[in-house]
Amino acid sequence: MGKGADIPRFKLNTGQYIPAIGLGTWQSKPGLVGEAVKTAIKVGYRHIDCAKAYGNEKEIGDALQDLFREGIVTRGDLWITSKLWNSDQHPDDVPKALAGSVERLQCGYLDLYLMHWPVALKKGAQGTAPEDFAPLDTKATWQAMEKCVESGGKTKAIGISNFSVEKTEKLLSYAKVVPAVNQVECHPVWQQKKLQPYLRSKGIHLSAYSPIGSGGSSFTEHIKVLDHPLLETLAKKYNKTPAEIALRWNVQLGHSVLPKSTNANRLEQNIDIFDFEISEEDMEKFNSIEQVRILRGDDMWVHDTNSPYKTVEELWDGDI
Ligand SMILES: NC(=O)c1ccc[n+]([C@@H]2O[C@H](COP(=O)([O-])OP(=O)(O)OC[C@H]3O[C@@H](n4cnc5c(N)ncnc54)[C@H](OP(=O)(O)O)[C@@H]3O)[C@@H](O)[C@H]2O)c1
């Protein structure tokens, strides 16, 4: 069923293969996300990007159970990622948080578990107000993540998300397990020009979030990646949509992409990117696109008190 077996995969530093496209589930509303997962898997997706913070893991798990029962896929056919939320960073809480995601997703184990942000919140914190912050101890958290994978635990690989070059470099100075993945914003208007070559040199796979510019997010009211004239021009040339051009650009750079949709037509459209190739000459044209980071995180993680980041430059180590 579906075209899942045909989806290209990228080899990780663990020896595992991550499917080049995964379904994003952030802001996929209750009542819609389960159907989106079912539709996606039926049209060939084999990779689902989840997180405790998205508040929809249980509905995704129920949808997976239906798919398994109907014999459409088996657990082994799928790649399931989830993320450690910032309020679970205390080492004692890391294995419990992982077990919680596995239980909600009803999938037995994860293929990949990511540290969601280089930010720590107090246990049980619901918001991102200054009083919600806890002291950041990434080393202790990462060591607890390492135990989850070393002991044949509930995840097959571990990684990071939203880590700059500097923050990744610092983590590598003490890591026994090199992160398999750094999941970060990446699309033609924020290409991660500094992080991309760095991660490649360290053998860390880049997974691209918001790969079509996070169209539905409140962060992007004034930036519409898909309206960029180069994407429109190339869409006409290759007889594809601007979204397909944006996704294909990332995949040709060796990045997995995680487009979110709850719309059946767009789910089909977004995976229809493996039957054409953007020429080398056209790939070079992306270099001249003006760069803007869309998910800056300053409204959540930058505070004068308690946060380790007093400015947005500190959060991203100047890469903004
Ligand atoms: N690690 C992190 O901190 C982090 C941060 C952000 C995102 N993520 C992950 O990455 C995923 C994707 O990022 P995102 O949700 O920010 O943004 P995105 O996938 O770039 O964009 C999603 C938006 O684009 C619309 N859309 C989908 N396909 C389209 C198409 N072919 N043409 C036009 N519009 C289309 C969607 O609406 P419809 O649903 O109506 O189609 C939605 O409004 C997330 O869902 C999440 O899994 C991770």
Side-chain angles (χ1 to χ4, degrees):
M1 167 70 74
K3 300 168 282 189
D6 305 333
I7 299 296
R9 290 169 183 253
F10 296 114
K11 191 172 185 183
L12 303 181
N13 60 17
T14 57
Q16 295 151 298
Y17 289 85
I18 189 169
I21 186 165
L23 174 67
T25 61
W26 178 43
Q27 297 182 325
S28 293
K29 294 200 173 63
L32 293 183
V33 69
E35 271 317 303
V37 167
K38 288 184 190 178
T39 305
I41 287 179
K42 286 176 185 168
V43 300
Y45 291 71
R46 292 293 178 266
H47 170 179
I48 315 286
D49 183 67
C50 311
K52 176 186 178 184
Y54 303 161
N56 53 17
E57 288 187 325
K58 170 73 170 65
E59 186 174 332
I60 294 171
D62 290 345
L64 294 176
Q65 284 302 308
D66 287 348
L67 291 160
F68 297 157
R69 250 192 314 272
E70 289 164 29
I72 290 170
V73 280
T74 63
R75 172 65 186 91
D77 294 329
L78 301 181
W79 180 282
I80 302 177
T81 298
S82 188
K83 311 185 191 88
L84 176 79
W85 187 236
N86 305 345
S87 54
D88 295 319
Q89 283 197 8
H90 187 282
D92 294 344
D93 295 328
V94 172
K96 293 182 207 157
L98 168 58
S101 280
V102 169
E103 193 184 327
R104 285 185 295 278
L105 290 163
Q106 305 162 63
C107 57
Y109 63 91
L110 298 182
D111 295 280
L112 178 65
Y113 196 45
L114 304 175
M115 216 178 137
H116 206 146
W117 284 92
V119 170
L121 297 173
K122 285 181 189 151
K123 189 170 179 170
Q126 295 298 313
T128 61
E131 59 273 19
D132 291 324
F133 280 72
L136 181 65
D137 187 350
T138 304
K139 183 175 179 181
T141 304
W142 186 252
Q143 287 173 340
M145 295 279 286
E146 289 178 330
K147 283 194 190 129
C148 292
V149 78
E150 275 167 357
S151 55
K154 287 186 185 295
T155 186
K156 293 196 169 179
I158 53 173
I160 50 182
S161 176
N162 295 301
F163 274 56
S164 64
V165 168
E166 287 75 7
K167 288 180 178 59
T168 309
E169 184 81 357
K170 189 166 177 200
L171 184 136
L172 289 182
S173 71
Y174 51 73
K176 284 199 219 128
V177 178
V178 174
V181 168
N182 189 1
Q183 186 187 117
V184 292
E185 176 180 346
C186 188
H187 48 73
V189 175
W190 185 250
Q191 301 181 12
Q192 295 286 3
K193 289 188 179 186
K194 186 173 171 199
L195 191 63
Q196 242 194 80
Y198 173 78
L199 292 180
R200 202 167 295 127
S201 75
K202 299 290 175 188
I204 300 172
H205 175 79
L206 190 157
S207 224
Y209 78 57
S210 306
I212 48 181
S214 206
S217 143
S218 58
F219 303 99
T220 57
E221 272 163 324
H222 56 289
I223 301 166
K224 295 265 182 272
V225 171
L226 298 185
D227 290 347
H228 193 282
L230 178 62
L231 295 187
E232 291 186 340
T233 305
L234 295 182
K236 283 197 193 102
K237 175 172 173 179
Y238 290 96
N239 199 20
K240 290 282 174 181
T241 65
E244 288 168 323
I245 298 293
L247 294 169
R248 179 74 206 183
W249 167 83
N250 242 320
V251 167
Q252 280 187 215
L253 292 171
H255 308 154
S256 51
V257 288
L258 307 168
K260 172 263 172 188
S261 184
T262 49
N263 172 288
N265 290 335
R266 289 192 282 277
L267 283 167
E268 277 212 66
Q269 183 193 127
N270 294 343
I271 201 173
D272 191 20
I273 56 170
F274 300 109
D275 61 349
F276 79 111
E277 190 164 11
I278 302 172
S279 72
E280 225 172 276
E281 195 190 344
D282 286 335
M283 285 295 282
E284 273 171 26
K285 293 181 183 155
F286 287 79
N287 293 337
S288 57
I289 297 179
E290 191 189 339
Q291 296 294 289
V292 185
R293 188 188 279 276
I294 295 180
L295 273 82
R296 293 163 54 92
D298 43 354
D299 50 342
M300 296 182 290
W301 311 130
V302 175
H303 286 297
D304 286 341
T305 47
N306 295 344
S307 170
Y309 313 116
K310 311 297 176 215
T311 64
V312 71
E313 284 75 19
E314 286 176 16
L315 176 60
W316 301 110
D317 297 297
D319 190 17
I320 186 100

